Amino acid sequence: MGLLHREKNECEDCHTRFSSYEELVRHARDAHKHHITKCSECGKLFLHEKDRLHHVKEERERKADIRRHKF
């Protein structure tokens, strides 16, 4: 486990750590007024647009994989 993984749920502004990414997003939005981006498909919230784009790509690949394996 690398350093980045351990600090994954740490606030970039105040360095408070959270047990989940969702808690971190709510904290950043409420405490620091960060702009939060939202997935239009599932509603999941993200701190950074790059994270939302990564999520969308993974979901598309997962759905394509499921379609390939249907009988």
Side-chain angles (χ1 to χ4, degrees), residues 13-34:
D13 294 322
C14 66
H15 305 288
T16 303
R17 291 188 181 157
F18 297 90
S19 59
S20 72
Y21 181 76
E22 290 77 18
E23 289 177 15
L24 170 61
V25 171
R26 283 193 297 272
H27 164 78
R29 179 191 62 206
D30 298 342
H32 303 296
K33 308 301 182 210
H34 279 265

Side-chain angles (χ1 to χ4, degrees), residues 12 21 34-37 46-53:
E12 296 172 351
Y21 181 76
H34 279 265
H35 173 76
I36 304 299
T37 184
F46 297 91
L47 286 175
H48 305 287
E49 178 66 8
K50 67 178 178 63
D51 296 333
R52 187 192 66 81
L53 292 173

Side-chain angles (χ1 to χ4, degrees), residues 34-63:
H34 279 265
H35 173 76
I36 304 299
T37 184
K38 183 177 182 179
C39 176
S40 61
E41 293 290 319
C42 71
K44 186 172 180 178
L45 302 175
F46 297 91
L47 286 175
H48 305 287
E49 178 66 8
K50 67 178 178 63
D51 296 333
R52 187 192 66 81
L53 292 173
H54 179 75
H55 162 77
V56 169
K57 180 182 176 198
E58 282 187 339
E59 284 299 303
R60 283 186 188 144
E61 290 172 358
R62 183 184 67 77
K63 287 176 184 175

